[in-house]
Amino acid sequence: MEIIKELIIGLFYIIVFPGLLFLVIYGGLSEWLDRKFYAQMQNRQGPPWYQPFADIIKLMSKQVIIPKAADKKMFKILPFIAIAAINTSIFMIPIFSNSALYGFRGDIIAVIYLLSIPTATLFLIGWSSTSPYATIGSMRVLTQLFAYEVPLLIAVLGPCILAGSWSIEDVAVFFTNNPWLMLVNIIGFLVAIVALQGKLERVPFDIPHAETEIVGGVFTEYSGRLYGFMRLALDMEMVVVAALINAVFLGGSFGYSGWIGLLLFVIKTEFVVFLLSVLKAAMARVKINQMVDFCWKWLAPFAILQILICIVARFMING
Amino acid sequence: MARPLRAWRELVKNLFRKHVTGQYPHTKPVIDKNYRAKILFDANKCIGCNICVRNCPADAIKIIQVNQDEKPTEVDGKTIPAKRKFKCVIDLAKCVYCGQCTDGCPVKALSSSQDFELAHFNREALIDEMKHPYETESKKK
Amino acid sequence: MPKITVPLGPQHPALKEPGSFMLSLEGEEIKDAVLRLGYNHRGVEKAAEARNYVQNIYLLERVCGICSHAHATAYVHNVEEIAQLEVPQRAKAIRMIVGELERLHSHLLWLGVAGHEIGFDTLFMYSWRDRELVLDALEEISGNRVHYSMNSIGGVRRDMSNEQIKKVLGILKTLEKRIKYYITVGTEESTILARTQGVGVLPKDEALKRCATGPQGRASGVDRDVRRDNPYLLYDKVDFKVITQDSCDVFGRLVVRALEMVESCKILKQVLENMPSGDIAVKAPIKIGPGEAVNRYEAPRGEDIHYLKANGTDVPARVKVRAPTLANFESVAYMLEGDTLADAPLIIAAIDPCFSCTDRMSLVQTGTGKSGIMSFKELRAYSIEEYKKKGIDFSKL
């Protein structure tokens, strides 16, 4: 009986909360808010709240066309790998309270690497579709991955150094106890927000699927259900990274749990989404070489500067 | 001078401004009274000069006489031929709404309206037949 | 590195009309570009020979959706020249107002499209929102938003009331503010600069060799503007600057277009404030000619050349249109080579292409259904033969 009970609880975690269902619903709502902010800033009306869900439902009901030259198995299985990786990473991030479901020491590294699996699947998706647009798109995905991943990782490590722990939970608890120290990380926070634009492939770094250049980029050959799942994966990824930023830079739930924790979580993650959409609205897409230049010449040095500041601050706190 | 986020001021302003786009089928756009859309025909004025037909760039308008079978009347021993009566048929799918027919009409029997929602699912519905009252009356008889 | 050939068109999100660009890529760099036109041929010139002079105004207006007034006016100028009609001053002023408003809306449209090509959709939404103001003004003046149909042979079809003049002046005031905003964003936003500076370079000698006209040429330092060099309408009476840039790249084209909008506002203000009074049209004969005429018109995209041959009947014997895109298209392949794939849509968009204006000829032999490309010599021999049948001899030209 115990095993069955644990199994049911485990399945609940995976499928309902904080797993699939939560991520899908919250991801859809976040996508809507992002689009609404974006539209409002452009003086447009924007979509109604159910638009992302309507899109997904419509895509689910459409026919899936797989190109003859594509690797069929890979083509079909890759969107699910992306979703699985994102789903796994949410278990290590605290959501409504300051404790994660399966927190352990060094989980922040695990989360970062789990979150690069969707990017890797994007590359494989493009590569296995074999169309020229998708191939170019997948090359760009990889180039971009090497540009933003390092600044992002370094920026996220800053708070860990300050808190003296490699666990996301501990970082959140540390900032809950010392909220003023959040200001130390302001550079790292900004670097992370910019790098996230690259991770989520949004303007100015939406180079892998720049529609006016390479049509749909890696998704060019995707259609119907499979494309729906891939879009779902990107929406879920946005929620997960927003939750990660919330836990690492913004102090998690400040020790609250329950409804207040939920409210804080929603406000802070949507604030991150808002910042992301401001960046999306205010910039033009850059070229891939400019993107790499920018990430290494500006983002990475600033991230390292942040680390130095954190080390100095750490000594000052301890000393 | 290259600076990032140069457009931010307008973005922030727009966050607190009402959007300019409308929900078209629910809220209709304001159409100016000068707008040229569907052509209207006043059958009582038409004299059948066919200037509109000759100058129509899209070959969309037809003026058809409807009372060819009407007999001449005898008044005081003189035969007066019946006044010719016309109907107008406009193929809305061909019409380019330039309004040349309304401009060229010497008796102003044709005029532009502001009715622009003319899309239809079948072609027959796009043929706009503007009958002369005589036609409907003779059918009743 | 292996070469990849990427098709950009005939159907592609970057292109608003069909045109084919086969790009051979080495990595991201374009090594070779093969351009093909001819997806949008409508036989306008031939159709014009079957219609009378009044019908042709509306037909030629539809050569292009954006510079519709340019084509119609150039054609009407030809007819008036052959028929020796004296167009009233007020009609000229109204033609000019519509023409300059058209330039404003075309440049705003271009700015939006260019913004969209580099992924700056906010600029796209803003400039199209403000373009709506111009379109509203045009709707009120002429009765349509895009195909104004303002010209008649010998004048214009509608007069402008004082309220309309006041309203247009009001719109101009808002537009000037907005254009200032676009100039700051377009010339200072770092991502736009990163995408436009040094992209699609067309040096002055190449621009001259490849007959670049309009903003394309002016951004390469070719100081030519029909409005100043060969004034038509009332352009000799207004004061305006011809904007040129020496940067020869897409950024230069952006600056030229943005500053031209300012100049357009200036011209419009001068005309609207000193509207000549009088009639708006003179009566035109139905039969024109015989005679022939060539007229140039500075369309928003560049120099538009119309040729008309009249033979004394009510239909023209020959109408020839040289749309500005055809002149600018020549330099696209040159500009594409050596730039990256990411620049390709922007470079193509920067000439403000209008393929439906440009497409003139595709050869399909009836019966066999064979299609192919004719060399210029063959084509010329063929056309001379065709026109000989109609009694016009072009062989001495």
Side-chain angles (χ1 to χ4, degrees), chain C residues 195-259:
Chain C
R195 284 305 298 273
T196 52
Q197 275 178 335
V199 168
V201 176
L202 182 72
K204 188 176 176 183
D205 50 334
E206 281 293 329
L208 283 170
K209 205 165 90 190
R210 289 165 192 270
C211 311
T213 68
Q216 168 89 357
R218 288 197 281 275
S220 295
V222 182
D223 189 10
R224 279 185 197 162
D225 191 318
V226 186
R227 290 178 293 173
R228 182 198 59 195
D229 303 340
N230 187 5
Y232 49 94
L233 298 174
L234 304 174
Y235 280 110
D236 46 349
K237 289 178 190 151
V238 290
D239 168 46
F240 68 99
K241 271 195 304 213
V242 174
I243 310 289
T244 51
Q245 287 282 315
D246 303 321
S247 58
C248 306
D249 53 5
V250 175
F251 179 69
R253 281 154 226 161
L254 193 150
V255 174
V256 165
R257 288 200 170 92
L259 294 179

Side-chain angles (χ1 to χ4, degrees), chain A residues 65-76 125-131 221-222:
Chain A
I65 298 165
I66 301 176
K68 260 188 191 158
D71 186 339
K72 289 197 181 52
K73 267 184 205 150
M74 290 279 269
F75 200 84
K76 279 185 194 159
I125 275 174
W127 200 255
S128 58
S129 322
T130 64
S131 99
E221 301 299 331
Y222 266 74

Side-chain angles (χ1 to χ4, degrees), chain B residues 1-7 10-11 14 20 32 34-36 54-57 96 98-100 103, chain C residues 51-52 54-55 58 62 122 126 139-140 142-144 147-149 157-158 164 178 181 188-190 193:
Chain B
M1 244 285 284
R3 267 187 291 166
L5 297 174
R6 202 60 190 77
E10 187 76 14
L11 295 177
N14 278 328
V20 289
D32 197 84
N34 289 338
Y35 194 71
R36 303 185 307 259
R54 203 181 62 214
N55 278 346
C56 180
V96 295
C98 61
Q100 174 61 37
D103 275 23
Chain C
R51 283 169 169 76
N52 67 31
V54 176
Q55 288 172 319
Y58 306 107
R62 279 157 181 80
T122 308
Y126 285 171
E139 178 183 329
E140 196 173 332
S142 70
N144 202 310
H147 289 299
Y148 324 112
S149 304
R157 287 170 57 193
R158 292 184 180 198
Q164 282 174 338
R178 300 297 308 165
Y181 172 74
E188 288 177 18
E189 163 65 39
S190 50
L193 292 182

